[in-house]
Amino acid sequence: MEDFAPSPLPYGFGHLDDLMEEAGIDVLLVTSKHNVQYLLGGYRFIFFSAMDAIGHSRYLPIVVYTRGAPERTAFVANRMEGAEHANRPFWTPRFLPVAWGTEDAMAAAIAHLKAEGPASPRIGIEPSFLPLDAARALGDAFPNAPLVDARGVLERLRAVKTPAELTLLRTASEKIGASMAATIAWAREGSTKGEIIDRLRIEETERGLQFEYCLLTLGASHNRARSPRAWGPGEVMSIDSGGNLDGYIGDICRMGVLGEPDAELEDLLAEIEAVQRAAFGAIRAGARGAEVIVAGQGELARQPNRSCTDFFAHGMGVITHEAPFLMTNHPVTYEGSDADRPLRAGMVLSVETTMLHPRRGFIKLEDTLAVTEQGFDLYGGDGRGWNRGGTA
């Protein structure tokens, strides 16, 4: 069964089947673009990176997977994706490029499931990514079939990355770091937040990344939104950006200063660094996820500016917050369901410490690390000190 797919996939069918059985799911109907990408082995259509509204509806890719029967898998696609299949055939035995919107996509998925699925399936869905009209059609077609939340199955499936995935995440982080260094060096007195963000977009794009976002602060302000606010001498810059490389997210934060950092700034960033390093030291395969949080929070409690500083860590990969989930509702709303589970080699973490200093501004480091058997591997670790602006 594991050799069914004609090309390497980042998961095994046996592992997926086990997760589905544990969750009480017979059939998966996967409708989120990030999980469709993952199940198809890294495929990304034009709508994956752009607005997906079209006509009166929207793009809705659907992967239909029956537990224990990967040979029955179907990919319901937009009609234009026939050309994609001609260039690089999908591994799914059934390819159905028949849809323009949500209702015809779900109609094709239902027809396939009735023809090749179990008689009374327990259907796993992604509630947050299933439009109402498609969900109603599915419920009407299978009135006696329970719909089961399958998000946990797919999160567990993605949690441990393959070497190829880790390479993408490392490369994305390195490219973002290089883009940030170039942008800070380019920016000078009078450069506005909007201009700096636009420059970072250019730097990331030229390095082969899809620019996702930039959260930027200048000076004493804690406001990270785009604005005409300009950089002044002696002021700090916090530059936090995500860039996408073939469907995998790099996300780090670095600090700049216009001029030379004074002793206070050096001390403030050293506080952040101490918290980060304490958390790093708890990362290793077999350690409970909560140990990372305890280590970071413990070091933070010893810092002079702890009252205006926050620490957290989370998993990342295909999206910016994914398994392992280490904290509850901090800052994103979800349960820290992996806090008491052991970390596994190949998991990827984002570790963040943020200071909202009342006079000096927003001071933050965010780092990406892969869990290894011996400890961790830091991705894109350059530029973690004060980067000087206006030096290009």
Side-chain angles (χ1 to χ4, degrees):
M1 183 186 300
E2 296 292 337
D3 297 329
F4 177 78
S7 60
L9 296 172
Y11 62 94
F13 296 125
H15 181 39
L16 176 55
D17 292 342
D18 290 343
L19 291 170
M20 291 173 65
E21 184 173 13
E22 182 180 355
I25 294 172
D26 298 313
V27 175
L28 277 176
L29 260 65
V30 177
T31 51
S32 67
K33 289 185 281 190
H34 59 278
N35 279 320
V36 168
Q37 165 199 303
Y38 184 79
L39 291 179
L40 293 180
Y43 169 69
R44 290 174 62 81
F45 187 45
I46 55 173
F47 287 131
F48 281 47
S49 302
M51 178 181 288
D52 59 12
I54 185 167
H56 294 299
S57 190
R58 53 161 287 195
Y59 174 62
L60 184 67
I62 306 177
V63 172
V64 185
Y65 178 87
T66 299
R67 190 179 78 235
E71 69 278 3
R72 300 180 191 173
T73 305
F75 173 38
V76 180
N78 181 275
R79 295 182 189 179
M80 292 187 288
E81 288 176 277
E84 302 284 340
H85 182 68
N87 291 337
R88 184 184 175 189
F90 303 108
W91 73 261
T92 57
R94 307 289 185 273
F95 173 55
L96 307 173
V98 298
W100 280 114
T102 57
E103 293 179 287
D104 47 355
M106 183 54 72
I110 290 168
H112 171 78
L113 187 51
K114 284 184 175 292
E116 300 201 31
S120 299
R122 293 166 295 178
I123 303 173
I125 62 170
E126 299 176 89
S128 303
F129 299 93
L130 184 59
L132 180 60
D133 53 3
R136 283 175 172 167
L138 181 62
D140 291 343
F142 295 94
N144 298 317
L147 300 182
V148 182
D149 188 340
R151 288 175 295 182
V153 167
L154 295 163
E155 289 159 358
R156 297 271 80 74
L157 187 68
R158 301 197 319 265
V160 175
K161 276 61 177 177
T162 65
E165 291 179 286
L166 293 174
T167 296
L168 286 172
L169 287 162
R170 177 195 294 276
T171 304
S173 300
E174 291 172 347
K175 288 177 179 290
I176 292 172
S179 299
M180 287 179 171
T183 299
I184 295 171
W186 169 88
R188 57 200 66 245
E189 183 177 354
S191 296
T192 68
K193 292 177 73 175
E195 291 169 342
I196 296 168
I197 291 170
D198 288 342
R199 183 67 188 190
L200 181 65
R201 181 192 299 272
I202 292 170
E203 296 288 348
E204 290 189 8
T205 301
E206 288 182 344
R207 288 171 172 82
L209 296 171
Q210 176 191 313
F211 178 84
E212 295 274 342
Y213 61 85
C214 177
L215 303 173
L216 188 77
T217 68
L218 296 177
S221 173
H222 301 156
N223 187 323
R224 298 202 287 171
R226 183 186 181 102
S227 78
R229 204 262 196 224
W231 205 10
E235 292 185 335
V236 305
M237 172 197 297
S238 167
I239 186 166
D240 185 338
S241 179
N244 192 305
L245 180 63
D246 296 337
Y248 287 79
I249 299 292
D251 180 15
I252 61 176
C253 182
R254 297 291 180 258
M255 296 301 303
V257 62
L258 193 54
E260 289 298 317
D262 56 37
E264 183 181 42
L265 287 180
E266 294 283 15
D267 289 344
L268 294 177
L269 192 56
E271 289 187 39
I272 302 290
E273 174 72 359
V275 177
Q276 291 288 99
R277 289 292 175 181
F280 294 177
I283 297 174
R284 66 186 184 284
R288 292 185 306 113
E291 294 179 41
V292 179
I293 307 304
V294 170
Q297 291 178 334
E299 183 61 34
L300 174 58
R302 291 186 282 271
Q303 298 304 318
N305 290 282
R306 57 188 176 275
S307 63
C308 62
T309 307
D310 187 37
F311 165 82
F312 60 94
H314 56 87
M316 62 176 295
V318 172
I319 59 177
T320 53
H321 281 252
E322 63 178 38
F325 299 106
L326 304 181
M327 306 180 75
T328 297
N329 300 334
H330 191 116
V332 181
T333 304
Y334 51 70
E335 293 296 318
S337 53
D338 296 310
D340 291 324
R341 296 173 184 252
L343 297 174
R344 298 173 59 190
M347 288 181 168
V348 177
L349 305 179
S350 176
V351 178
E352 312 182 37
T353 305
T354 305
M355 180 186 295
L356 303 182
H357 195 274
R359 290 183 296 102
R360 306 310 299 266
F362 195 103
I363 302 176
K364 175 181 179 180
L365 288 176
E366 180 176 7
D367 295 295
T368 298
L369 306 97
V371 180
T372 68
E373 294 293 348
Q374 294 75 32
F376 64 88
D377 194 0
L378 177 62
Y379 290 172
D382 292 342
R384 302 181 70 258
W386 286 107
N387 298 279
R388 277 66 169 174
T391 59

